[in-house]
Amino acid sequence: MSRVVQNTGKPEWTFREGQGGAILSLSGPWTSDTGLIPSFSADDLTRIREGDSLGFDTGGLQEWDTVFISFLWDVKQAAGRSGIRTDFSGVPESASKLVSLLPEHPDLPQTISRVSFTPLLLTGDLVVRFLTSAGAVSELAWNTFRSVLSPRRKGQGHMRPADLFRDISDAGPSALLIVSVVNFLLGSILAFVGAVQMRKFSADAYVANLVGIACVRELSAVMTAIIMAGRTGGAYAARISTMLGNEEIDALRVFGIPVTSYLILPSVLSLILTMPLLYLYGCLLSTFGGYIVTVGMLPSVTTAGYWHQLFGAVSLSQFYFGFVKTIFFAAMIAFSSCNIGLQAGRSAADVGEAATRAVVVGIVGVIALDAIFAVIANVIGI
């Protein structure tokens, strides 16, 4: 009852009879450098009766590494399947501790069940998640406005003017550069495309109509809102989620300071106050960009002609409509971003995830709201 690897200087194992079972003698270097590691299977235990024990003799063992541990684990698994007890008291203590951490029966790989395509289930899940998020944002908006109307109590924290002015500065003056560049280029691109096409029909003067109506009615409001969703909305979500991870939100609640009036309200008001002004500023820059391109490309259009045509095509109702839209855009971006920040996790990775989600939700929400306002404008005849 033995099996020996007869290579000098190579790892070897043999069986010999012992009291109450068998002894597995190990000798030689059991390292990966030897290049020949003896295998072991349950067939090598056929002559050992079930219930007997298997001990180890490592008197001739030289240096060893993880290859030795792997061999002992193979022996342990084979003995476990054959109903044979293993006694590792004869192996080095460090190796015995490592083997004791390994199970006799390793976990089988989990079979991945095939996921069937269930469109109704997916649609229902999306609807439920959307309604849940919409309800959470609506509740946050209601609590915020209720905190504005509630009487101020002594010792209760409310919005600080310094926080409001700081948020206004971040959402307004600090965003002028990117709003200027985007809207100026937007008007220039519209004018360029319009000039190329309308020149074919000798309708050069109507390029001003295209730039004015498109920018004032839709594009300046939408692009400004998208900029603020990516710039300010993501910053709100990241700031609040960071405060949540640092337990600052918990500290406010412990001291009885309402988060809605102390933290959310300045963020919402700053966007509602600055977004319409940024929209008007964007309209000015976009029409000016259209003027530069139109006058430069179309010699038949003069400065006076461009602005006369523009003011004749764009009525004040278009500005009113865009102005009102930006207020709703601002409220949606602020409340959704703050709610995402409050619902985020407490790890560093959750901060980035909250900021990304706030940007995505803000951009999609702006486009969806703009579509709703387009239908409303068609109904009321604007």
Side-chain angles (χ1 to χ4, degrees), residues 60-117:
L61 181 67
Q62 300 176 13
E63 65 272 10
W64 58 273
D65 57 14
T66 54
V67 170
F68 179 61
I69 303 300
S70 178
F71 177 81
L72 293 180
W73 192 26
D74 291 339
V75 175
K76 182 177 180 180
Q77 294 180 79
R81 289 191 294 267
S82 301
I84 300 172
R85 295 180 290 105
T86 53
D87 180 13
F88 291 98
S89 59
V91 301
E93 183 180 359
S94 56
S96 176
K97 290 181 179 180
L98 291 175
V99 176
S100 63
L101 299 175
L102 301 174
E104 289 186 359
H105 307 288
D107 296 335
L108 297 176
Q110 296 182 355
T111 57
I112 302 176
S113 59
R114 186 177 180 180
V115 180
S116 59
F117 179 66

Side-chain angles (χ1 to χ4, degrees), residues 29 46 48 51 58 90 121-122 131 145 152 159 161 163 177-178 190 209 214 242 249 262 290-291 313:
T46 53
I48 303 178
T58 58
L121 181 61
L122 294 176
L131 293 178
F145 286 124
R152 186 185 183 94
M159 179 184 66
D163 294 335
L177 179 59
I178 186 173
L190 281 176
N209 298 52
T242 302
I249 302 294
Y262 185 78
Y291 158 74

Side-chain angles (χ1 to χ4, degrees), residues 143-164 166-167 252 255-267 269:
N143 292 333
T144 302
F145 286 124
R146 188 177 61 179
S147 66
V148 177
L149 302 177
S150 63
R152 186 185 183 94
R153 298 178 182 177
K154 184 177 180 181
Q156 186 180 24
H158 281 265
M159 179 184 66
R160 298 184 303 177
D163 294 335
L164 178 61
R166 181 201 61 199
D167 289 341
L252 291 176
F255 283 104
I257 299 176
V259 177
T260 54
S261 61
Y262 185 78
L263 194 62
I264 307 300
L265 185 58
S267 303
L269 286 181

Side-chain angles (χ1 to χ4, degrees), residues 274-296:
T274 57
M275 183 93 71
L277 301 179
L278 290 175
Y279 156 72
L280 296 177
Y281 178 73
C283 291
L284 176 63
L285 267 294
S286 60
T287 53
F288 182 73
Y291 158 74
I292 296 296
V293 174
T294 303
V295 175

Side-chain angles (χ1 to χ4, degrees), residues 6 9 19 60 82 94 111 133 136 164 170 252 273 295 310 324 379 381:
Q6 300 292 343
Q19 294 182 356
S82 301
S94 56
T111 57
S133 300
L164 178 61
D170 292 339
L252 291 176
L273 293 175
V295 175
L310 178 68
V324 172
V379 171

